[in-house]
Structure formats: structure tokens, C-alpha cells
């Protein structure tokens, strides 16, 4: 059973930073492309960032390019997302998910981690 457990969210002021983590188990993480997706209140899931199995190829939505950085540690079965220069519009529940193509993902199985950007 695929398990993905997100953590690291919180309340932060505009311009602040957070680092999200996603602990993976139940599948071969090191050979899986992964994504971070988010869902703001009243909106659909949105692809934020993706990374291939080796970590050498990344994808970012235009809205986060230059501010967010995705990375992974295959030895620790963990996916990360560094969020810098946060904006109020980044407020959302953030999930990690197995990728199934460029900016496409399997339904995230975890509970997500809430990021709230507010002054």
C-alpha cells in the first residue's frame, strides 16, 4: 500500500519560507517520479512541482517558478519542497503524489499539510 505522509506546513507571513517533507513507504520510492500538488479552498488540485526518480529533472508551475525548490533523498525515502518568498495565493493544502507523466499524478493518498500565508 502506497503511503505518503506530508509535514512541515504552518502559518507564515508573506515573504516567509517553509520546508515541506513527504515520507514515502509501500513502494519503490527511488524509481518513482514524484510531484507536489496543492488545493486551495474552492479550487481544484493544482500541480506545483515534479521531480524524476534520480532528481535530475524537475518541473515547476509558472506560479511558483523561482520561489519553490523540489528535491528528494532516495536513501531516506523522502521528498521535499522548499517554499520561499511565499505569497497569500500560495495558501492551500499541499500533498505529495506519485507522478504519472509531466504534471500528471495519481490521487494523493495522504492527509496533506496546510500552508497558510497571512499577515
Amino acid at each position: 500500500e502506497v503511503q505518503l505522509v506530508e509535514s512541515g506546513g504552518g502559518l507564515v507571513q508573506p515573504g516567509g519560507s517553509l520546508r515541506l517533507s513527504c515520507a514515502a513507504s509501500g513502494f519503490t520510492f527511488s524509481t518513482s517520479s514524484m510531484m507536489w500538488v496543492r488545493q486551495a479552498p474552492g479550487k481544484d488540485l493544482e500541480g506545483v512541482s515534479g521531480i524524476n526518480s534520480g532528481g535530475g529533472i524537475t518541473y515547476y508551475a509558472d506560479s511558483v517558478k523561482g520561489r519553490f525548490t523540489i528535491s528528494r533523498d532516495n536513501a531516506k525515502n523522502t521528498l521535499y519542497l522548499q517554499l520561499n518568498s511565499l505569497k497569500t495565493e500560495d495558501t492551500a493544502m499541499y500533498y505529495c503524489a506519485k507522478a504519472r507523466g509531466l504534471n500528471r499524478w495519481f490521487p494523493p493518498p495522504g492527509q496533506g499539510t496546510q500552508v497558510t500565508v497571512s499577515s
Side-chain angles (χ1 to χ4, degrees):
E1 179 188 1
V2 172
Q3 290 194 334
L4 297 169
V5 180
E6 302 91 347
S7 62
L11 173 63
V12 63
Q13 292 185 341
S17 297
L18 286 171
R19 189 193 196 202
L20 308 185
S21 297
C22 170
S25 61
F27 66 104
T28 307
F29 179 77
S30 61
T31 61
S32 300
S33 294
M34 300 294 295
M35 283 204 66
W36 285 98
V37 301
R38 67 185 180 186
Q39 187 167 31
K43 295 190 176 181
D44 293 334
L45 277 172
E46 171 194 15
V48 175
S49 183
I51 189 168
N52 72 330
S53 58
I57 300 174
T58 56
Y59 158 85
Y60 296 96
D62 287 343
S63 58
V64 307
K65 208 170 287 185
R67 300 188 298 120
F68 291 8
T69 303
I70 192 170
S71 62
R72 64 191 298 158
D73 186 336
N74 286 343
K76 295 182 178 179
N77 284 358
T78 303
L79 180 72
Y80 303 99
L81 187 68
Q82 178 68 41
L83 290 66
N84 295 331
S85 303
L86 281 161
K87 304 176 180 180
T88 55
E89 52 263 43
D90 294 318
T91 295
M93 187 71 77
Y94 284 71
Y95 302 88
C96 60
K98 291 184 67 177
R100 60 183 187 98
L102 181 63
N103 200 26
R104 299 173 66 197
W105 56 89
F106 293 98
Q111 298 298 308
T113 187
Q114 177 69 39
V115 172
T116 301
V117 185
S118 174
S119 55

